[in-house]
Amino acid sequence: MRSESPSGGPTELDGAWWPRSRDLPSELSALADVLDPLWGRITRIAVSPRHWPILPPRIFVNGHVVKVGWFTSELDPHGITLLSYTAGRWDLLVIPPETGASSAARLMAAASADTGPQTTATALMTAERARHARGATAGEGGSGRALSAQGRNRQRAVGM
């Protein structure tokens, strides 16, 4: 992931998140607990409800409450937005928990790349599904091309 505040529009991605399950309250708490001290106090999180069976109104992060909102039309269904008063906004691709390791690695690299055309979380997921379908049809793992996304010239966070 990249960790500077954004300078571009909301369609650009700042990185990716690969949760272990669809348990949003637990997964969000784990994500925010790690990012809060690195990026600055996270104050709000916005998600699309499409892929989450339970949507918490708030979570507790490092001793403070973070409000969680959900939006059906304003947010990319494959993304999540984290907001901080001190550091700005981050838009992350949410990689489905059931995604294989090689696909997840390609998606994470593409979402945090500093080169290539601007893209959205849904565009990356669509391209990865198409790549997987082509590979399955051809009886192999696909073309081997990495997906890329336009970065916002951000500094990469260590260990993310």
Side-chain angles (χ1 to χ4, degrees), residues 71-132:
F71 303 91
T72 55
S73 60
E74 295 86 358
L75 288 176
D76 189 313
H78 297 286
I80 185 171
T81 300
L82 295 100
L83 302 169
S84 166
Y85 290 133
T86 58
R89 169 184 174 147
W90 301 279
D91 292 298
L92 305 178
L93 165 68
V94 177
I95 300 170
E98 59 276 3
T99 303
S102 60
S103 288
R106 277 190 299 277
L107 288 164
M108 285 187 273
S112 60
D114 286 335
T115 60
Q118 291 183 358
T119 192
T120 64
T122 292
L124 285 178
M125 291 301 298
T126 301
E128 183 62 23
R129 285 188 194 118
R131 181 186 189 285
H132 189 268

Side-chain angles (χ1 to χ4, degrees), residues 33 36 41 60-65:
D33 279 343
D36 194 75
R41 187 176 182 134
F60 294 95
V61 178
N62 296 323
H64 69 278
V65 175

Side-chain angles (χ1 to χ4, degrees), residues 17-32 45 47-59 68 80 94-98:
W17 174 44
W18 189 17
R20 297 171 198 239
S21 72
R22 298 240 181 237
D23 178 3
L24 188 61
S26 174
E27 295 293 343
L28 270 184
S29 290
L31 174 68
I45 299 174
V47 300
S48 170
R50 181 182 291 180
H51 302 291
W52 303 104
I54 298 173
L55 298 165
R58 69 192 67 77
I59 59 171
V68 179
I80 185 171
V94 177
I95 300 170
E98 59 276 3

